[in-house]
Amino acid sequence: MAGTVITFYSYKGGVGRSFTLANVAVLLARWGHRVLCVDWDLEAPGLREYFRPRLNPELQGGVVDLVTDFRAGSVQPNRHVLPVELDTVTGALDFLPAGADSPDYPAQVQGIDWESLYDDEFGEYLERCREAWTADYDYILLDSRTGISDVGGICTAHLPDRLVVLYTANMQSLRGAVDVARRANAARNALPYDRPQLPVLPVLSRFDTREEYDRSENWREICLNETRSLFDSWLDQDVPPAVIARHLTLPYVSYWTFGEQLPVLLEKSPGADQIGFALETVAAVIAHSFDRTELLAENRDAYVAAVRTKTQNFAYDIQVSMPRSNLEVSKNVVAELEKLGIRVGRSLSGDRSWLGRAETDARHLCLVIDGKASRWQLAEVELFLHRTLGQDRRLIPVLTEGTDPRELSGYLGNLRHLRLSSVNGPAKVARSLADEIGAGRTLVDTGQTDLVSLLRQAVHARLRPGLWDLVDDLASEMPAAVGAGDSVRAQELGADLAVLLRPRRDDDDAIPPPPRVQKVLDWARRVLDVRVTGS
């Protein structure tokens, strides 16, 4: 699937735009994604300072050299891309600087006439660069210059799929950022390329709540009122913007204002009062494609964990929680699971080390319950559920003979359970567990058609009212086609939906999905998330 281009923009300087982009890039790479950072703030490049200690070669060229290549008829968008060396990162992070570290750089920038370049079809050249970047990377993060400019137009209207606007709690920064977001969407309508509406993520930056609490809450309300319209195209209709706005707030921490630093490399398990915590939330919204915001509103930790686990390589397939009262039988279940080739972790009631971990080592959790769940097991359940809400990770109780599910705590008592008995011994239970954690695999091959992504796109689209009726029909039929294993029909439905979602220039009466269609799209997407993607 093609990568996503995301521009980070601020109307005024000093809001932490480059700081936020650099840290988000590191997080996305840590979560297994291929990331390219592009410093398009040509007149005041600063992104390189965050990466300089981790760059081997000196900066020999960059974005300005795209203009030189264009004039020479050469398309080499990755010619000056440099790898950023990071430890223990499962993805990749690369950097395209603004230009070389040389005395000639200022004159090189000042000599560019962007309007004339576009008259000479430089826009088509940038499209080819964009295609190359999105083929090689999952995320391309553009650091745009401030204010209103030709370069700003390239970064906010022409190139991006999504826009992140950072602002501080003053009217000039706030209204300037909102105004540019509106200008960007208007400018996209005039482009000779198919570009859907631009989702905009408003991020309140360097916000200090430690002093003057009443004033800070008053400014929260002001900021929300000014940015409320920016949430309309992507926020779940049942989630209040005020809730998400708080999650999209970067606190002011004076320690990180000195120099160019990457706190996400130092704060391994940040608490809610640390800058890394807020940066993780912003990165997670980006990794979720601005989607699943109902989960963010309900459980922020699970929302962030969900993007980690998409690329996380778990040490174990399942963790077996063993009560001391029935240790031998539990060990036999573990042994039988290992015979089946399943990687098994073990936790013993009273094992404080398991409860204290920030992350889990296993994808699924099995509780062997003898009579009643121990307080340690209940704590394990609480942590597991908190970390895994909204993910395809299973909690499976295995009850010993004589254990009454009706006497278990409400949640455990309602779960589907397996039973250990003289007839149903450890070997049979292990095979049943293997079947349970193997559930949710793909039931139908949908070819190159990404139905789930199409449904997500539909949720944020704007179409004429009559077209929404057709979308309703297509989305309603998709789960049935997938469930029946009808690959041909599933691909046909996806192709038809893709045609309906294509942007149209004459859609002056276009509207977001009506509530009834929104419900159908959400339902179809949830079903297909499991049946097609297994997630």
Side-chain angles (χ1 to χ4, degrees):
M1 189 183 300
T4 302
V5 181
I6 302 173
T7 291
F8 283 66
Y9 172 85
S10 62
Y11 182 73
K12 300 287 289 183
V15 305
R17 184 192 68 247
S18 299
F19 167 85
T20 302
L21 185 153
N23 281 277
V24 165
V26 171
L27 288 169
L28 292 173
R30 179 186 291 167
W31 296 341
H33 299 289
R34 300 164 298 162
V35 183
L36 173 65
C37 296
V38 183
D39 192 348
W40 218 292
D41 188 358
L42 303 185
E43 294 190 356
L47 190 57
R48 60 190 175 190
E49 301 305 326
Y50 291 93
F51 300 134
R52 193 185 289 276
R54 297 170 177 83
L55 297 172
N56 271 332
E58 287 296 313
L59 307 185
Q60 300 297 324
V63 172
V64 293
D65 296 281
L66 296 177
V67 176
T68 304
D69 291 344
F70 165 69
R71 289 169 174 159
S74 172
V75 182
Q76 302 181 72
N78 295 330
R79 181 159 65 100
H80 294 292
V81 168
L82 302 173
V84 180
E85 297 182 355
L86 298 172
D87 296 330
T88 64
V89 168
T90 57
L93 178 57
D94 291 341
F95 173 53
L96 179 60
D101 279 337
S102 73
D104 298 331
Y105 175 76
Q108 194 176 2
V109 173
Q110 292 166 5
I112 297 175
D113 182 344
W114 294 104
E115 185 175 354
S116 175
L117 283 171
Y118 264 77
D119 289 340
D120 293 337
E121 299 187 347
F122 184 65
E124 291 295 329
Y125 177 82
L126 284 181
E127 280 294 291
R128 296 171 69 183
C129 293
R130 187 184 189 279
E131 288 174 5
W133 290 332
T134 55
D136 292 341
Y137 297 94
D138 301 313
Y139 294 99
I140 301 89
L141 308 184
L142 309 182
D143 193 17
S144 174
R145 66 164 297 183
T146 58
I148 299 172
S149 65
D150 293 334
V151 173
I154 293 173
C155 293
T156 59
H158 181 173
L159 291 177
D161 298 299
R162 294 182 174 86
L163 181 63
V164 177
V165 293
L166 289 98
Y167 62 92
T168 51
N170 65 75
M171 296 309 297
Q172 189 177 22
S173 176
L174 173 57
R175 287 181 173 167
V178 173
D179 180 59
V180 164
R182 290 172 179 152
R183 287 171 180 262
N185 262 313
R188 285 164 75 85
N189 292 332
L191 291 173
Y193 315 108
D194 282 339
R195 292 286 193 271
Q197 185 181 18
L198 186 67
V200 181
L201 191 75
V203 176
L204 174 56
S205 183
R206 298 192 171 180
F207 191 65
D208 193 348
T209 60
R210 292 170 298 179
E211 298 181 14
E212 301 290 345
Y213 177 81
D214 290 341
R215 291 192 67 192
S216 70
E217 288 302 297
N218 181 51
W219 268 98
R220 274 195 191 277
E221 188 66 26
I222 293 172
C223 293
L224 178 61
N225 289 336
E226 293 289 332
T227 61
R228 190 181 297 273
S229 63
L230 301 182
F231 292 92
D232 292 343
S233 65
W234 57 271
L235 183 62
D236 186 284
Q237 60 182 356
D238 294 326
V239 177
V243 173
I244 300 303
R246 285 186 178 270
H247 284 299
L248 297 177
T249 300
L250 302 179
Y252 173 77
V253 181
S254 59
Y255 180 84
W256 299 115
T257 63
F258 298 100
E260 290 80 16
Q261 304 181 75
L262 296 171
V264 295
L265 291 178
L266 302 175
E267 298 176 352
K268 299 301 182 183
S269 299
D273 60 338
Q274 293 178 287
I275 188 70
F277 186 89
L279 289 165
E280 279 187 342
T281 307
V282 173
V285 174
I286 290 171
H288 278 294
S289 301
F290 294 18
D291 200 6
R292 302 190 71 190
T293 49
E294 73 287 354
L295 176 58
L296 174 57
E298 183 176 353
N299 188 327
R300 177 267 176 197
D301 291 347
Y303 186 80
V304 173
V307 291
R308 288 198 194 110
T309 56
K310 282 184 179 179
T311 54
Q312 181 178 349
N313 293 318
F314 289 96
Y316 304 109
D317 300 309
I318 191 167
Q319 180 94 8
V320 177
S321 174
M322 305 181 292
R324 295 181 184 274
S325 59
N326 208 325
L327 197 53
E328 285 306 312
V329 173
S330 300
K331 288 181 177 178
N332 290 338
V333 171
V334 168
E336 294 294 338
L337 285 169
E338 290 175 337
K339 287 180 184 178
L340 296 172
I342 295 172
R343 300 169 301 162
V344 186
R346 302 164 178 80
S347 63
L348 186 64
S349 289
D351 183 359
R352 292 178 181 270
S353 65
W354 192 92
L355 297 178
R357 294 177 197 159
E359 298 293 340
T360 54
D361 296 326
R363 182 174 292 277
H364 306 287
L365 175 62
C366 167
L367 296 178
V368 179
I369 300 177
D370 188 31
K372 65 178 183 178
S374 70
R375 62 190 180 96
W376 295 103
Q377 289 180 319
L378 293 175
E380 284 179 294
V381 169
E382 183 178 347
L383 281 173
F384 184 81
L385 293 177
H386 184 72
R387 293 165 176 157
T388 64
L389 181 65
Q391 302 173 45
D392 183 32
R393 300 175 67 188
R394 304 291 303 281
L395 171 60
I396 309 166
V398 173
L399 309 186
T400 61
E401 196 164 13
T403 300
D404 188 347
R406 295 171 298 180
E407 295 182 3
L408 299 178
S409 62
Y411 182 81
L412 288 175
N414 291 327
L415 286 176
R416 178 182 174 187
H417 63 269
L418 302 176
R419 173 74 72 177
L420 272 166
S421 67
S422 56
V423 177
N424 204 38
K428 285 188 176 181
V429 167
R431 285 195 293 272
S432 296
L433 280 170
D435 291 340
E436 290 283 336
I437 65 176
R441 293 175 182 164
T442 302
L443 298 180
V444 59
D445 178 11
T446 60
Q448 298 301 312
T449 307
D450 188 343
L451 301 181
V452 175
S453 291
L454 280 171
L455 291 167
R456 288 196 179 105
Q457 183 182 343
V459 169
H460 304 304
R462 297 179 69 89
L463 302 173
R464 294 195 304 273
L467 293 181
W468 281 122
D469 293 333
L470 298 176
V471 171
D472 190 344
D473 293 340
L474 294 174
S476 298
E477 192 177 341
M478 279 184 186
V482 171
D486 190 345
S487 302
V488 174
R489 183 56 182 156
Q491 292 180 51
E492 289 175 349
L493 292 168
D496 289 345
L497 181 58
V499 170
L500 288 175
L501 296 178
R502 290 184 62 183
R504 295 168 176 79
R505 300 203 174 203
D506 57 347
D507 280 358
D508 294 333
D509 57 346
I511 61 171
R516 61 178 176 80
V517 181
Q518 177 90 36
K519 289 181 181 178
V520 170
L521 291 169
D522 289 342
W523 172 76
R525 190 191 68 207
R526 289 190 180 98
V527 173
L528 266 62
D529 259 331
V530 174
R531 307 200 76 166
V532 174
T533 69
S535 62

